[in-house]
Amino acid sequence: MFGLEITPVIAAITVSHYLIVGAILFVIGAVCMATKRNALGILMGIELVLNGANINFIAFGSPYLRDDNLGLDGQLISLFVIVLAAAEAAVALAIALNFYNNHNTIDIDRADELKG
Amino acid sequence: MGILAAVNRVYWHEFFFMLFAGISVVFAVCVLLTQNIVRMAFYLVLSLGSTAGLFFLAGAEFVGAMQLMIYVGGTLVLLIFGVMLTAQQRYVKMNTHPTDWVLATIVGGSLLVLLIGAAAGVDSWKDASASKKALAELDVDDARTATPLGLALTGVRVDKLDSDDPALANGQSGYLLPFIIVSVHLLVVLIGAAYMARTKRSATAPVGRAERARLNIMQMEHETDDVVYSASKQSSSSLLDSDQSQAEESTDEAQE
Amino acid sequence: MIGSLVSTGASTVTEFISQNIFGLDDPNWFMYLLCGVIAAVLVLHVIAVGALFFIWAERKIAGRIQDRLGPTRVGGKFGWLQTLADGVKLIAKEDFIPRDADAPLFKIAPYIAFAASFAAFLALPFADGAVAHHVNTAVFFVLAVLGLEVFGVILAGYASGSKWSLFGAMREAAQVVSYEVPLGMCVVIPVFVAGTMNLTTIGEMQAGWFNNWLVFHDPFTFIAAIVYFTCATASVNRAPFDLAEAESELVAGFHTEYSGLRWSFFFMAEYGSMFLVSALASILFFGGWHPPIPIDIWILEAFADPDLVAAGPLKDAVPSLVTFLVMLIGIATLVAKSVIGVVVMMWVRWTFPRLRIDQVMATCLKYCVPIAAVCFVGSMTWETLDLPSMNTINRYEIHEDWSEDLAVSTVGEDGVDPEWPEDENDDESSEVMDGEEAPIEEDSVAVQNGLSLQEGE
C-alpha cells in the first residue's frame, strides 16, 4: 500500500537528495543573514549556512549512499565545523551583548558610527 | 496479510529522509519569515534537530549526537539571549525593509538555482544503484564510527590503512594537528568571550546606557535608604553575575 | 504466545517482540511498525506509570519526613489511588491561557519538555536486549537529548508573559547549561574505564558480585558517582537546586501560569528525567541490571547445556525461556535501583533547604567541576598504571572485541568492505590479534605492514 504507491515517486535516496536539502538550507541561511535586522537573527542565518554545508560533508562521507565515499573524513570535517560554529556563536553573542550594552538595541542598522 | 507481505521491503530510508528533510526545510523557512526573535530560535532548534535526524540516517551517529548536544545546545544559549535582550517588548519584532526582501530573494533565488543545478548535475551522485546496494547490506549494529573517529582525532586513521597513496597509507592522514588547533582556538574563544561579555564595574570605563540607568537607580535608592541600597546592590550584582556566567557557559559547552 | 519463544539474540525490544511474540524472523513493514509502536508504548508507560507511583511516593515520603501520615484515604489504607484522584482533578481544571501569553509556544512548551524526556528513554537499556533502540553512542545520546528538556522550560517561561515565569526559566537555563559540564565529565569516567559508549555493553561488563560495579573500580570513580548524582539532581531541577520553581520567591517559577493537563505534563517530564538519571547512574556506576548477588548468573549456569557452554557465551547455552526470565530479573533489578535513586532524591528534597542562585552556581563552578576534573585525571591514571582494583572482571576482553573489529576493517584486500566489517572474517582477525592486549595503533600498523609487504611483492 504505502510502499507501493511511494516507490515510483521517489527512487532510492542518493547523495544528490542530501545535497539539495543542504543547498536549500544554505540559501535560506544566506537570505536570513541579508534580511534580518536583529543581530541574533543574523547569527541564526550563519548557523543555518554552516548546517547546510555540514549536510554535504555527511552525505559525501556516508557509506550508505555511495561506495566511493569520503569515509570518515566527511564526518571529521563536519565535527570541526560544529565545534567552530559553537566557538563562533560564543564570540558573536559576546559582541551582540556588548553592542546591546553600548547602543541599548540589537538592531544592526543602528551600528553606523563608522559611516563618517 | 497478503498485501502486507507483498510490500515486505518498506522504504523506511526514503520515508524518514523525506520526513526529516521536510521538517528541516519548512522550519528553516519559518526562521526566515517570522520576525519574533524567540520563535525564530525555536524554529531553528527544530530545523537543526531534524538535521541531526538526517545525520543519523546517513550513518553518522556520533556526529548526529554531537549536533544535538553542541549545535542545538548552543542554540539554547541563543534562545536565552533572545529572551534576555527582548524582555522589553519593543525589540521582539523588527520588520525588514521591502527592498531588502526583493534584493535578498533575487540573490538567494539565483544562488539556489545554481546550487541545485550543481547538486543534480553530477551523474555519480545520482546513481541510485550504489545506494540501493549499500542499503541492502545495511546493518545498524555495524555503524561503529565513534572509535575510529576518536582515533582519527589522535592521529591514527584505522580506515585509511589500505590507501593507494603511500603517504596516506602510513596512518599519517590523521587529524591531530587540526584537533590541537581547534582546542587552542576554543581556549582563546573562551577567554575572549568572557572578556568581552564581562560587566565593566570601574567608574572610569565607558558605561552603557542600560548600565548607567541601573547605577542611577541604585544611587537614588542609596540616598533614600541604606538598607534598600544594599539589598538592590546585591540583587543587581547577582543578576550581572548570572549574565556573565551564561556567556562563559556557552563557551564551556563548546569545549565539550 | 510466550510458549513460542523460539529465538534469542534479539538486540532490541522491537526485534524481541517480532521474533518471540509474533514468531517473525524478517517482519514485514506493518509488523515492524506494530512492534515499534508496542515498544514505544512500553517506554511511555515507564514514564506515565512511574509518575503515577512517584507522585504518591513523594507525598508519602514528604509526610513521613515531616512527621505526618501523607495521603491515607483515597483507595484504601495507604492512599494508593491519590495520584489518580489528582489526575482527575487536573483534567477537570480550566485550561487557562493568559492574555499576554504567546499562545502557540505556551501550548507547545509542556509537550517539548515531555518529548525530550521520553526520547532519552529510547536509548536506555533496561536489561540486555530490553532496549527500544540500540544506539552505539547511547551515553552521549541520552545526555544530549536530556539537555533538550530545558527548551520546554525556557519556552514556557517566555511564552507565559509573566515576570515570575521568565525569572524561573532564566534560572533554570543558567543552571542546566552549567551543570551539564560536570555531569558530562563524570559520565566520561565510566565510559573510558569500560572502553565503550554503548550502555548495554557497559552494563554487561559489571556482571557478577557487586564488587564488579564500576563505582568500586577505584576511589575516584566512587567520588565521581557522588558528584554525578549531585549534578544529576541539579540538572533535573530538583530540590535543593529547584531555583526555577522556588515557591518562596517566584510563586511557582516557570509553570506559574500553567494549569490542568499541561501543568501535569511538566511533572511527568520531571519525574521521567529523575528516573532516567537514576537509571543512568545505575548502569554507569552501580552494576546496571545485575543484582548485587549474581542470581542471574547462577540461574544461567544452572540451566546451561554443558555441551554448548564451551562454544559461546552463557546466554546461548540455555533455553530461551530462561533467558527471558533472566531478562525480567534484570529489568526488575534496574527498576529497583532507579527507584532507590529517585527515593534518595526525594529524601534530599525534604531534608535540605533550598540554595540561593549564587550558591547553586558556586556549587557547580567552584566545587563540582574541579572535583570531577580531578576524578577524571585520577581515574585515568589508575587505569593507565593498572593499579589494584576491587573489580575482578577482565575488561580487556571487551576492549579487544572492538579492536578486533577495527583490525578486520583494515584487511581490505579480499573483498571486505574496509569500513563495515563482516563477521565471516573473525578468524583472520583473531590470528592477527591473538592474545594481545596492546593498544590498537600497534595492531593496526602491524596489519598495515603485512599489507604493504604483500603489495610490494
Side-chain angles (χ1 to χ4, degrees), chain B residues 7-8 39 42 144 253, chain C residues 28-29 102 112 180 405 420:
Chain B
V7 275
N8 211 346
R39 284 197 195 174
F42 173 59
R144 299 186 178 179
E253 193 157 274
Chain C
N28 62 35
W29 69 272
D102 190 337
I112 290 177
E180 248 174 30
D405 279 351
W420 308 103

Side-chain angles (χ1 to χ4, degrees), chain C residues 17 44 54 65 71 82 87 98 109 138 142 200 211 217 263 269 282 284 290 293 313 317 350 376 384 399 457:
Chain C
I17 295 167
L44 193 63
F54 288 136
I65 288 176
Q82 182 63 46
V142 168
T200 313
N211 64 331
H217 181 264
W263 181 82
S282 334
L284 290 175
H290 298 291
I293 302 162
W350 296 103
F376 181 84
T384 313
H399 283 284
E457 284 162 37

Side-chain angles (χ1 to χ4, degrees), chain A residues 54-77:
Chain A
N54 251 354
I55 291 181
N56 290 9
F57 283 120
I58 292 292
F60 280 125
S62 168
Y64 297 162
L65 301 177
R66 266 172 99 210
D67 281 343
D68 183 23
N69 57 60
L70 263 184
L72 282 184
D73 291 292
Q75 295 190 27
L76 280 162
I77 292 184

Side-chain angles (χ1 to χ4, degrees), chain C residues 37-281:
Chain C
V37 168
I38 292 175
V41 169
L42 281 178
V43 172
L44 193 63
H45 274 78
V46 175
I47 304 183
V49 179
L52 215 63
F53 169 73
F54 288 136
I55 290 174
W56 171 81
E58 173 124 45
R59 286 169 164 247
K60 254 341 211 189
I61 291 172
R64 292 293 174 173
I65 288 176
Q66 295 169 346
D67 209 9
R68 294 183 284 118
L69 286 176
T72 50
R73 297 190 185 189
V74 191
K77 203 178 172 191
F78 299 110
W80 286 109
L81 294 179
Q82 182 63 46
T83 322
L84 269 187
D86 287 348
V88 171
K89 182 198 77 176
L90 283 175
I91 293 171
K93 273 192 168 183
E94 185 192 353
D95 185 23
F96 180 78
I97 298 177
R99 194 196 59 207
D100 282 346
D102 190 337
L105 291 187
F106 184 83
K107 283 180 192 156
I108 208 171
Y111 304 115
I112 290 177
F114 182 77
S117 177
F118 170 67
F121 273 93
L122 289 183
L124 185 81
F126 286 85
D128 186 19
V131 53
H133 180 58
H134 203 77
V135 184
N136 203 32
T137 52
V139 179
F140 203 46
F141 180 83
V142 168
L143 276 189
V145 173
L146 195 65
L148 299 185
E149 197 193 329
V150 70
F151 271 110
V153 172
I154 297 180
L155 285 180
Y158 166 77
S160 294
S162 149
K163 284 278 186 284
W164 304 124
S165 304
L166 193 62
F167 273 129
M170 296 305 285
R171 282 178 173 192
E172 161 107 4
Q175 183 182 326
V176 168
V177 170
S178 44
Y179 270 95
E180 248 174 30
V181 177
L183 192 70
M185 278 173 146
C186 290
V187 165
V188 164
I189 293 171
V191 165
F192 74 63
V193 172
T196 176
M197 285 205 273
N198 190 333
L199 280 175
T200 313
T201 319
I202 295 180
E204 278 303 300
M205 269 183 212
Q206 304 174 58
W209 288 87
F210 60 88
N211 64 331
N212 269 338
W213 294 358
L214 283 174
V215 66
F216 298 123
H217 181 264
D218 59 65
F220 296 105
T221 48
F222 192 84
I223 301 171
I226 298 167
V227 177
Y228 170 84
F229 201 75
T230 312
C231 296
T233 312
S235 72
V236 298
N237 193 28
R238 285 288 292 185
F241 302 103
D242 62 339
L243 269 297
E245 44 192 287
E247 294 92 349
S248 50
E249 304 157 29
L250 296 179
V251 188
F254 66 90
H255 55 70
T256 305
E257 307 294 340
Y258 280 89
S259 66
L261 212 54
R262 290 207 184 92
W263 181 82
S264 70
F265 264 94
F266 277 121
F267 270 74
M268 293 235 265
E270 182 177 327
Y271 283 101
S273 341
M274 274 164 71
F275 185 85
L276 186 84
V277 291
S278 301
L280 200 60

Side-chain angles (χ1 to χ4, degrees), chain A residues 12-16 62-69, chain B residues 9 13 123-138, chain C residues 417:
Chain A
I13 297 299
T14 60
V15 176
S16 278
S62 168
Y64 297 162
L65 301 177
R66 266 172 99 210
D67 281 343
D68 183 23
N69 57 60
Chain B
R9 152 108 170 74
H13 187 245
D123 283 337
S124 79
W125 295 350
K126 290 188 294 185
D127 185 12
S129 64
S131 67
K132 265 184 188 147
K133 186 176 151 240
L135 276 175
E137 295 159 4
L138 182 136
Chain C
D417 191 330

Side-chain angles (χ1 to χ4, degrees), chain B residues 42-57:
Chain B
F42 173 59
Y43 295 144
L44 185 70
V45 167
L46 293 182
S47 179
L48 295 182
S50 54
T51 313
L54 282 181
F55 291 176
F56 279 114
L57 211 56

